[in-house]
Amino acid sequence: MAKIGWIGLGNMGIPMSQNLVKAGHEVFVWNRTKSKADGVVAVGAKWVDTPKAAAEAGDFVFTMVADGPTLHAVSLEKDGLVAGLSSGKIIVDMSTVSVEDSAKINKEVEAKGCKFLRAPVTGSTMMAASAALGILASGDREAYEKALSVFQCLGARHFYLGGGEEARVMKLSLNLMIATTMQMQAEAVVMAEKAGLNVAQVCEIIANSAVGSPLTGYKKVPISTGDYKPAFSVKLMIKDLKLAEEVGAQYGVKLESTSLTRNRLELASEKGYGEMDFSVLTKLLEEESKYTR
């Protein structure tokens, strides 16, 4: 069993780190809000006071944070994880951040004689709890092979994509499809509702149709009930779509549906829905269409 430092205990980080503890690993956790560690400590993890301490304690050091600036803070500040590194450790970032931010962290990690894996995940909080995530990895191949036994405690599907930033691009490619799917579903649902169809039945049919997917299955309950408790917030999706648009611009690829969906999410945020689940796009269109359930 491995010694693992874990930094970041949000909606995904909590169940993922719990799964590592349950698998028998020795896990050392840190989060900016200490109370969020209570559920992980309760199953056997050990609290540490800084990201530096988490890095000192672990042979593997995982980060799962909200964005690039946060990754920089937990990695590069005085008590950040880089300050706690000694040669031979493997750092695994599972956040969704830009290629540029990722490359900067990689440079600092390698300067300490360590390896940096980019390993963002695909899947829901439910999949995180059941260790059924997909893990998209790139970076040093030997480090990936060493980390694979740990990845198997977190996800059911593992993909090695290359030696550099490939996993970052793949994650953003997936997220732009996820976001635009919710915009398409919003349009389909509201048109059907206004024609007199039952929203729950509409969502059920979509989920079981030719366009059905795990995503449309997950979202049929929040959309049909109007309960947009955040599994993945509007604000986080806006962040990811902006990153995707940057990559598209870098490679000269027009991402027109991505830009449209980002604009819709920004409008939702302006209306006060920024902390709701991004499937709130349906509610936004209902309001604009003067439809009341």
Side-chain angles (χ1 to χ4, degrees), residues 185-187 189-191 193-194 199 203 222-226 228 264 271 273 279-293:
Q185 183 156 349
E187 294 174 14
V189 166
V190 177
M191 184 173 72
E193 285 180 320
K194 291 211 73 174
V199 64
C203 291
I223 291 173
S224 61
T225 62
Y228 296 104
R264 297 294 295 164
K271 290 178 68 69
Y273 302 151
S279 56
V280 79
L281 286 167
T282 297
K283 178 179 173 64
L284 178 67
L285 187 55
E286 286 173 336
E287 292 173 350
E288 292 173 335
S289 303
K290 296 181 171 47
Y291 178 80
T292 303
R293 293 186 190 180

Side-chain angles (χ1 to χ4, degrees), residues 64-71 93-99 101 120 168 171-172 175-176 179 232-247 258 261-263 265-266 269 274 278:
M64 176 59 108
V65 297
D67 52 32
T70 305
L71 181 61
D93 178 57
M94 307 192 100
S95 318
T96 303
V97 301
S98 72
V99 170
D101 284 332
R168 303 298 191 191
K171 171 62 173 177
L172 295 173
N175 275 17
L176 73 83
F232 195 82
S233 74
V234 166
K235 287 183 177 179
L236 285 178
M237 187 57 83
I238 291 170
K239 180 263 297 184
D240 287 0
L241 295 188
K242 287 180 177 178
L243 294 179
E245 288 175 297
E246 290 173 5
V247 173
T258 301
T261 304
R262 175 181 53 79
N263 290 336
L265 288 165
E266 288 176 340
S269 184
F278 73 102

Side-chain angles (χ1 to χ4, degrees), residues 4-10 12-14 16-17 20 28-31 50-52 54-55 60-68 70-76 79-82 85 90-97 101-102 105-106 109 115-121 151 154 168:
I4 299 171
W6 189 280
I7 298 165
L9 296 169
M12 299 290 279
I14 290 173
M16 292 172 73
S17 56
L20 293 176
F28 303 85
V29 298
W30 179 86
N31 189 69
T50 62
K52 177 183 176 181
F60 297 92
V61 186
F62 283 73
T63 50
M64 176 59 108
V65 297
D67 52 32
T70 305
L71 181 61
H72 272 247
V74 302
S75 300
L76 304 180
D79 288 322
L81 73 87
V82 170
L85 294 180
I90 296 173
I91 290 70
V92 183
D93 178 57
M94 307 192 100
S95 318
T96 303
V97 301
D101 284 332
S102 181
I105 302 301
N106 177 65
V109 166
K115 296 298 181 182
F116 181 62
L117 291 176
R118 303 79 160 160
V121 302
F151 289 165
L154 300 172
R168 303 298 191 191

Side-chain angles (χ1 to χ4, degrees), residues 5 39 42 59 83 103-104 114 131 148 158 219 240:
D59 298 317
K104 290 175 184 177
C114 301
L148 192 54
H158 317 97
K219 298 305 183 185
D240 287 0

Side-chain angles (χ1 to χ4, degrees), residues 118-120 136-138 161-162 164-172:
R118 303 79 160 160
L136 314 171
S138 62
L161 297 167
E165 302 297 336
E166 294 90 347
R168 303 298 191 191
V169 177
M170 188 70 245
K171 171 62 173 177
L172 295 173

Side-chain angles (χ1 to χ4, degrees), residues 143-164:
Y144 169 77
E145 296 293 343
K146 290 179 179 178
L148 192 54
S149 62
V150 181
F151 289 165
Q152 289 168 346
C153 302
L154 300 172
R157 301 171 311 284
H158 317 97
F159 304 92
Y160 179 74
L161 297 167

